[in-house]
Amino acid sequence: MDDIKYTPHTPHVNQYDSSKDYGTPKKSSQKLVKLNIDGVEITVPEGTSIMHAAQLTGVTVPKLCATDSLEAFGSCRLCLVEIEGRRGYPASCTTPVAEGIQVRTQTSKLADVRRGVMELYISDHPLDCLTCSANGDCELQDMAGAVGLREVRYGYDGENHLKSAKDESNPYFTFDPSKCIVCSRCVRACEETQGTFALTIKGRGFGSVVSAGNKNFLESECVSCGACVSACPTATLMEKTVIEAGTPEHKVTTTCAYCGVGCSFDAEMKGEEVVRMTPNKEGGANHGHSCVKGRFAWGYATHQDRITTPMIRKSIHDEWQVVSWDEAINYAASEIKRIEAKYGKEAMGGITSSRCTNEEVYVTQKLVRAVFGTNNVDTCARVCHSPTGYGLKQTLGESAGTQTFDSVMESDVIMVIGANPTDGHPVFASLMKRRLREGAKLIIADPRAIDLVENSPHIRADYHLNLRPGTNVALISALAHVVVTEGLVKEDFVRERCEWDSFVIWRDFVAKPENSPEALEETLGVKAELVRQAARLFATGGNGAIYYGLGVTEHSQGSTMVMGIANLAMATGNVGREGVGVNPLRGQNNVQGSCDMGSMPHEYPGYRHVSDEATRALFESAWGRPLSNDPGLRIPNMLDLAGEGKFKALYCVGEDIAQSDPNTQHVTHALESMECVIVQDLFLNETAMYAHVFFPGASFLEKSGTFTNAERRISPVRRVMAPKNGHGERGLEDWEITAKLSKALGYEMNYNHASEIMDEIAALTPTFKGVSFKKLDELGSIQWPCDDANPTGTPTMHIDEFVRGKGKFFITQYVPTTEKVNAKYPLILTTGRILSQYNVGAQTRRTKNNAWHAEDIVEIHPHDAEDRGIKEGDWVGIASRAGETVLRATLTERVQPGVIYTTFHHPESGANVITTDNSDWATNCPEFKVTAVQVNRVHQLSDWQKDYQSFSEAQIAFTGKKSSKVIKQPA
Ligand code: SF4
Ligand code: SF4
Ligand code: SF4
Ligand code: FES
């Protein structure tokens, strides 16, 4: 007799076949139970269902309402089994294993019962299998075959769903109730997996139907995550792309190109065409879940706006000339050489993007350092998470988050500061919401009432500290004050793990009366007692985890606040185990990676300073070129010097500084002042309108490489189709373009594949020592550090000691921003993101996601609106010390009086026309979150918007393409 032993510690990638549905979720109890299924002995963790255990033995029990991403429900009665010595036929999906039981899954009685169940289902189902879009991919069809159903005795005359109308309102999927078997998998997916609770089962018995709150899907609460579509066993909920293109034929596993969650997806293909993206169950960050962006918004890769041929021009006022790769590369190289000869190498530099792969970032910084001969290389993390890198390195010793996302399931108190996970990091938000529904407490520090405050079903923040924008540091000191003065410090942890002297200095500082919640009440605009209660909860409520975002970093004291967060985590003993930690939620997919890869002007890959002799010698020897020991220019320095005529050439890969950086007029003036701007991108983005050379980049579907998410998880990006090309030449992956440019400049980069770039990174970067594409294929993903001591990576950091040895406390003196409100600019503008759009919107604006957010809107409190005679939907001018723009207004109490809020996904909104040059004292991260403004009703676009409109139309015309932009404006 066979005996299969399955232990909870066996690596899941070897244990589980991701293409198989085990019917119910995997359980991880330490207690093992032995049973016998159809003559096969198996040992599984306690709590496992009989159905799941049967699947592990290779026995498939018929099922319809069960799927392994959802808890069992037990409604379809198809999975019945017999258990020796027990009466009746229990459902194997809802019956847990028990020691010593003998289970039979295939008997003639069971076969009869299952056939009867299937007959009932089929009698209420259209018999159009051969023409159905799910033909061959339908569990109902499979089960009819599995139970041997040949005929249906009941006829089709009674009450049924066959004439129900199809709902096609959602841009990406249809809902065809005539095919619904009311298994409720969609309802449960929306509740358990996504946490949106948009669906219910309405009616009873044969009259039961799935309802999106009596609305169509588009108008309902649905956020289009696709969990219900994935869970549906029939063609009821179906991707429109599958309906149009047919069932996929093969798949390639890759990683989402959007946010820092880093979800793993299967690109399901027909030939070279993507038919759908389905979230991968084995994805370490997403476990089979997704959001609307990764799941559906990939159509931009084939959008007509893609520029697929290299282009050059002498002046930004000239038409673009389409040229061959060789001509474009040689022209760019000759311009770089000319500028170097005329102005010197310090007049040149490069900017990478967090949308690039690690390998692309690595070769770009290598090009700038080894070939341009300068350290003038920076990345867009400058404008988002550079304070995280600085602050965490100082305090904990490593510029990265401390946990896995899964760690939140062990948290008892979750503090979210300056982040909006349901919009910015939706898949992680779903996991967090699951933990909150289980009873974890929630503290939110945010000037605005984000959805988690009270707008998510079954979630309500225990404390919403709705502080005034710009007062984070005062808040963290006030929280620390309570912890220190009320004796809530975990002194054992601090004595053992931290530098005691630094703790004492910090303790004495935060204990000062001026740091008390009472003293800071007016500054913060938050009742002192609320701050006290929140601090007590965090310090005493069990495992406390802090998650933060750009609402922390994008301030003049961003780095101070990051250090303040680390101080609080250390003082309360909340670092170094599951359920706790300091967790920066990274905005873009590869923010962590672009920093890891040395795309900062002062650091080589692995955060080693350019002035460090040993590191420099290592890279000089590997690259065979002398390297500079002077830190290079940051993006704002490059732009300042360009405006002064001292910085002349820029190689900009995948980044759109003209839209994403503050003070747009300053940025565009700098770009106009340069002699050679080389942009490598998918589209003629805002920066490319000021470029002289355009290299067509490859989308994430067209190249190989890796992204590193917010948990330090390195995940593979796999090429599923060839890079686009417009005139018969082979399209190039982005690293190939950089390597060709390097060769034209006289320095050969001898890589044949992105994997060889990773091999070089691993050879030169201790934290990546054990990383290779081969290992990524084996493990799925790897969380760095990955080295001899941690050959499969490091999920949780700082377990026994901090990376820097002892944790170090830093004083966090609150210094108010110089950006002050006054009579002329009495309101504060703060900015953020929305679920359906992504960052500068270059990708999502070219998808059907515009159905949810076709323009940026400014939120204003009803009191402030009334003072100004502003009504819902009015066009309003927003003027700051830097500039003015015009948007439509919506009135909401989500923002507090005195504060307005908008998103920045559409370039014509000009959100950064208003933001100022203020920046973080340590890293120059812009103070996007605090701009003093005035708002008034207006009837026309701002001057900047009018100029932008005509300039961008002319620039698009220079490419020979038609503008696909529709700029909304006042009537
Ligand atoms: S829509 Fe699909 S998942 Fe939902 S109840 Fe109907 S068949 Fe089941
Ligand atoms: S797409 Fe997501 S949010 Fe919408 S109904 Fe389905 S599960 Fe719920
Ligand atoms: S955008 Fe983020 S949360 Fe959404 S699918 Fe992509 S990685 Fe996942
Ligand atoms: S699969 Fe078990 S009752 Fe439906």
Side-chain angles (χ1 to χ4, degrees):
M1 191 172 290
D2 296 325
D3 187 352
I4 302 170
K5 183 153 176 153
Y6 154 61
T7 71
H9 299 301
T10 313
H12 68 284
V13 282
N14 298 329
Q15 186 71 48
Y16 275 83
D17 173 356
S18 66
S19 64
K20 213 166 155 179
D21 185 345
Y22 291 80
T24 60
K26 182 165 59 172
K27 299 292 172 187
S28 57
S29 168
Q30 298 300 309
K31 188 167 170 205
L32 299 179
V33 173
K34 192 171 192 174
L35 70 159
N36 183 301
I37 301 175
D38 293 342
V40 178
E41 295 279 332
I42 181 163
T43 307
V44 293
E46 188 178 40
T48 302
S49 72
I50 290 176
M51 174 181 280
H52 191 109
Q55 282 280 16
L56 286 167
T57 68
V59 169
T60 299
V61 183
K63 63 178 182 56
L64 276 174
C65 69
T67 185
D68 59 11
S69 60
L70 302 170
E71 292 301 330
F73 189 58
S75 70
C76 76
R77 311 299 292 165
L78 201 62
C79 67
L80 310 185
V81 292
E82 292 177 8
I83 301 176
E84 206 167 291
R86 288 198 199 172
R87 287 170 51 186
Y89 304 100
S92 64
C93 63
T94 49
T95 309
V97 294
E99 187 65 34
I101 58 171
Q102 307 271 331
V103 179
R104 276 186 296 280
T105 70
Q106 315 292 339
T107 67
S108 58
K109 182 64 198 165
L110 290 172
D112 280 350
V113 177
R114 288 174 186 155
R115 262 195 301 275
V117 169
M118 278 307 295
E119 255 190 287
L120 279 171
Y121 278 117
I122 298 296
S123 70
D124 186 16
H125 199 82
L127 294 181
D128 61 355
C129 290
L130 289 181
T131 52
C132 176
S133 45
N135 188 22
D137 185 22
C138 170
E139 292 181 42
L140 189 69
Q141 192 180 37
D142 293 347
M143 288 307 117
V147 304
L149 188 68
R150 296 281 171 266
E151 57 182 332
V152 176
R153 290 166 292 168
Y154 304 115
Y156 300 95
D157 303 330
E159 188 178 356
N160 61 40
H161 301 86
L162 299 178
K163 294 209 168 61
S164 311
K166 217 171 175 179
D167 175 358
E168 304 201 76
S169 60
N170 185 287
Y172 296 116
F173 59 84
T174 59
F175 172 62
D176 181 355
S178 71
K179 297 192 168 165
C180 181
I181 57 171
V182 202
C183 65
S184 130
R185 273 161 64 161
C186 55
V187 178
R188 288 177 287 140
C190 194
E191 294 176 1
E192 290 175 33
T193 310
Q194 165 56 23
T196 291
F197 294 75
L199 304 177
T200 51
I201 301 285
K202 213 171 65 174
R204 324 191 86 201
F206 237 56
S208 309
V209 285
V210 171
S211 164
N214 293 325
K215 294 179 177 160
N216 68 34
F217 268 78
L218 187 61
E219 287 165 1
S220 73
E221 297 295 311
C222 168
V223 293
S224 206
C225 71
C228 56
V229 183
S230 298
C232 182
T234 65
T236 313
L237 285 159
M238 176 62 81
E239 297 90 349
K240 288 182 175 173
T241 48
V242 176
I243 295 171
E244 282 154 22
T247 317
E249 292 158 348
H250 62 104
K251 64 182 182 186
V252 181
T253 301
T254 188
T255 302
C256 179
Y258 287 116
C259 86
V261 177
C263 296
S264 176
F265 278 89
D266 289 332
E268 297 193 37
M269 317 281 298
K270 253 192 154 174
E272 270 232 335
E273 185 190 354
V274 178
V275 175
R276 71 177 159 198
M277 298 286 284
T278 45
N280 182 359
K281 282 201 301 190
E282 296 303 320
N286 59 321
H287 307 295
H289 191 32
S290 60
C291 83
V292 60
K293 296 189 285 290
R295 179 75 155 89
F296 296 117
W298 37 269
Y300 69 87
T302 49
H303 193 276
Q304 58 176 22
D305 286 355
R306 279 284 298 271
I307 306 247
T308 56
T309 48
M311 305 187 299
I312 59 173
R313 61 180 175 177
K314 286 261 182 259
S315 149
I316 66 166
H317 305 294
D318 293 343
E319 289 187 4
W320 284 99
Q321 242 185 290
V322 172
V323 292
S324 68
W325 274 113
D326 281 350
E327 278 174 276
I329 299 272
N330 289 336
Y331 179 73
S334 68
E335 279 296 278
I336 289 168
K337 284 181 194 157
R338 179 183 68 76
I339 288 168
E340 184 190 352
K342 188 165 172 192
Y343 301 101
K345 56 191 177 209
E346 293 305 329
M348 313 188 302
I351 297 177
T352 65
S353 166
S354 298
R355 290 192 285 273
C356 299
T357 63
N358 285 318
E359 293 72 15
E360 289 156 13
V361 173
Y362 178 84
V363 292
T364 304
Q365 60 89 35
K366 179 175 174 178
L367 175 85
V368 173
R369 296 190 203 280
V371 187
F372 288 14
T374 163
N375 285 318
N376 294 342
V377 62
D378 208 354
T379 181
C380 62
R382 173 70 53 214
V383 298
C384 71
H385 265 288
S386 48
T388 289
Y390 179 84
L392 297 187
K393 182 94 177 170
Q394 297 293 311
T395 48
L396 311 181
E398 192 57 271
S399 301
T402 60
Q403 312 295 125
T404 61
F405 289 134
D406 288 353
S407 158
V408 78
M409 293 309 286
E410 305 286 322
S411 301
D412 301 306
V413 183
I414 299 167
M415 192 187 299
V416 179
I417 310 178
N420 185 3
T422 51
D423 283 66
H425 304 84
V427 165
F428 170 65
S430 290
L431 193 68
M432 181 191 276
K433 287 193 288 185
R434 182 183 287 221
R435 181 63 191 147
L436 291 167
R437 291 197 301 274
E438 288 176 358
K441 303 287 185 202
L442 177 63
I443 301 166
I444 290 177
D446 201 297
R448 181 170 169 266
I450 59 170
D451 278 356
L452 285 174
V453 170
E454 57 178 1
N455 202 29
S456 290
H458 306 286
I459 309 281
R460 178 176 282 264
D462 295 272
Y463 297 100
H464 177 207
L465 310 175
N466 59 340
L467 71 176
R468 292 194 211 290
T471 61
N472 283 337
V473 172
L475 176 68
I476 206 77
S477 294
L479 290 166
H481 177 93
V482 178
V483 170
V484 162
T485 56
E486 296 191 8
L488 307 178
V489 169
K490 292 279 183 314
E491 199 172 314
D492 291 352
F493 180 91
V494 175
R495 282 191 184 279
E496 189 193 332
R497 300 285 310 271
C498 305
E499 285 183 8
W500 183 253
D501 291 351
S502 73
F503 167 73
V504 170
I505 295 168
W506 171 80
R507 181 194 65 193
D508 294 347
F509 164 74
V510 295
K512 288 181 182 171
E514 64 257 37
N515 286 322
S516 72
E518 289 72 19
L520 290 166
E521 187 171 281
E522 203 180 320
T523 303
L524 294 170
V526 182
K527 290 231 169 341
E529 187 51 27
L530 218 54
V531 175
R532 283 199 177 270
Q533 287 173 12
R536 288 173 197 141
L537 173 63
F538 185 74
T540 63
N543 282 343
I546 303 176
Y547 293 87
Y548 72 88
L550 304 184
V552 159
T553 53
E554 289 177 343
H555 286 276
S556 59
Q557 282 202 287
S559 293
T560 317
M561 182 59 182
V562 172
M563 292 192 285
I565 288 171
N567 290 339
L568 186 67
M570 291 189 288
T572 53
N574 279 314
V575 191
R577 62 181 189 281
E578 289 295 279
V580 299
V582 178
N583 303 280
L585 293 172
R586 309 294 189 143
Q588 304 200 74
N589 46 356
N590 204 31
V591 177
Q592 183 68 56
S594 65
C595 299
D596 299 343
M597 291 299 106
S599 197
M600 292 274 188
H602 64 297
E603 284 170 337
Y604 289 117
Y607 303 98
R608 289 162 294 169
H609 203 274
V610 292
S611 63
D612 180 72
E613 293 290 339
T615 308
R616 201 169 65 256
L618 177 73
F619 281 94
E620 283 181 337
S621 149
W623 294 347
R625 285 282 173 112
L627 300 174
S628 165
N629 62 353
D630 291 328
L633 300 171
R634 297 170 173 179
I635 294 172
N637 309 133
M638 293 183 204
L639 297 176
D640 289 348
L641 288 173
E644 293 166 20
K646 296 177 188 155
F647 186 85
K648 291 291 184 182
L650 179 68
Y651 178 38
C652 187
V653 185
E655 180 53 6
D656 192 0
I657 50 174
Q659 191 182 342
S660 58
D661 284 36
N663 196 348
T664 305
Q665 302 90 314
H666 181 66
V667 178
T668 52
H669 171 64
L671 287 167
E672 276 172 332
S673 307
M674 290 187 224
E675 292 185 12
C676 178
V677 175
I678 306 167
V679 168
Q680 185 166 315
D681 211 289
L682 305 183
F683 304 104
L684 190 83
N685 63 19
E686 306 308 308
T687 307
M689 294 186 185
Y690 295 87
H692 308 91
V693 178
F694 186 90
F695 293 146
S699 76
F700 80 114
L701 295 168
E702 298 156 18
K703 60 192 177 190
S704 300
T706 54
F707 291 143
T708 306
N709 77 352
E711 329 158 275
R712 295 167 278 104
R713 185 184 301 280
I714 307 160
S715 299
V717 178
R718 295 195 179 91
R719 175 167 160 161
V720 305
M721 57 173 77
K724 299 269 168 294
N725 66 86
H727 55 37
E729 281 191 298
R730 183 172 76 86
L732 299 179
E733 297 192 21
D734 290 76
W735 68 263
E736 291 182 283
I737 303 170
T738 308
K740 274 183 182 288
L741 179 60
S742 183
K743 187 176 176 188
L745 287 164
Y747 182 83
E748 190 103 40
M749 290 187 185
N750 289 313
Y751 309 114
N752 295 303
H753 188 266
S755 62
E756 294 173 12
I757 303 172
M758 180 52 84
D759 292 342
E760 183 174 314
I761 296 165
L764 295 170
T765 314
T767 43
F768 276 65
K769 187 174 176 200
V771 180
S772 67
F773 277 35
K774 185 165 172 287
K775 194 181 273 187
L776 285 166
D777 285 345
E778 286 162 15
L779 299 178
S781 60
I782 301 168
Q783 286 174 273
W784 67 259
C786 175
D787 48 24
D788 295 342
N790 310 286
T792 56
T794 311
T796 305
M797 294 197 76
H798 316 293
I799 289 180
D800 296 318
E801 64 170 0
F802 287 101
V803 171
R804 72 183 299 285
K806 299 270 187 193
K808 185 168 183 178
F809 287 81
F810 281 79
I811 294 285
T812 54
Q813 179 73 51
Y814 170 56
V815 181
T817 171
T818 54
E819 180 67 7
K820 302 252 188 278
V821 291
N822 59 17
K824 191 168 178 200
Y825 302 112
L827 304 173
I828 291 283
L829 165 75
T830 189
T831 58
R833 280 173 30 179
I834 201 156
L835 170 69
S836 55
Q837 297 285 357
Y838 175 69
N839 217 39
V840 294
Q843 295 144 287
T844 44
R845 280 187 278 111
R846 293 180 171 97
T847 69
K848 294 174 182 164
N849 278 23
N850 287 338
W852 291 279
H853 187 83
E855 63 182 289
D856 294 313
I857 305 271
V858 61
E859 292 183 0
I860 183 165
H861 192 277
H863 291 170
D864 293 324
E866 194 181 349
D867 287 350
R868 292 162 177 79
I870 295 168
K871 298 198 182 54
E872 182 71 26
D874 279 351
W875 290 90
V876 295
I878 309 166
S880 75
R881 294 179 178 97
E884 181 169 6
T885 196
V886 171
L887 298 175
R888 260 198 283 214
T890 187
L891 277 49
T892 170
E893 291 185 4
R894 278 189 158 211
V895 287
Q896 49 186 279
V899 175
I900 65 167
Y901 169 89
T902 191
T903 49
F904 46 81
H905 303 302
H906 294 266
E908 62 272 16
S909 304
N912 282 327
V913 171
I914 350 176
T915 52
T916 67
D917 281 335
N918 274 11
S919 67
D920 175 44
W921 61 271
T923 66
N924 278 142
C925 183
E927 193 173 40
F928 283 128
K929 302 297 180 187
V930 189
T931 308
V933 293
Q934 177 58 293
V935 173
N936 284 306
R937 279 187 67 192
V938 293
H939 299 286
Q940 55 176 328
L941 295 179
S942 71
D943 290 345
W944 178 86
Q945 282 167 311
K946 288 180 202 158
D947 290 348
Y948 168 79
Q949 203 169 340
S950 51
F951 177 74
S952 64
E953 272 168 17
Q955 288 296 326
I956 293 166
F958 286 161
T959 67
K961 283 180 178 280
K962 280 211 171 84
S963 172
S964 63
K965 273 184 199 191
V966 182
I967 298 183
K968 295 207 170 76
Q969 41 193 310

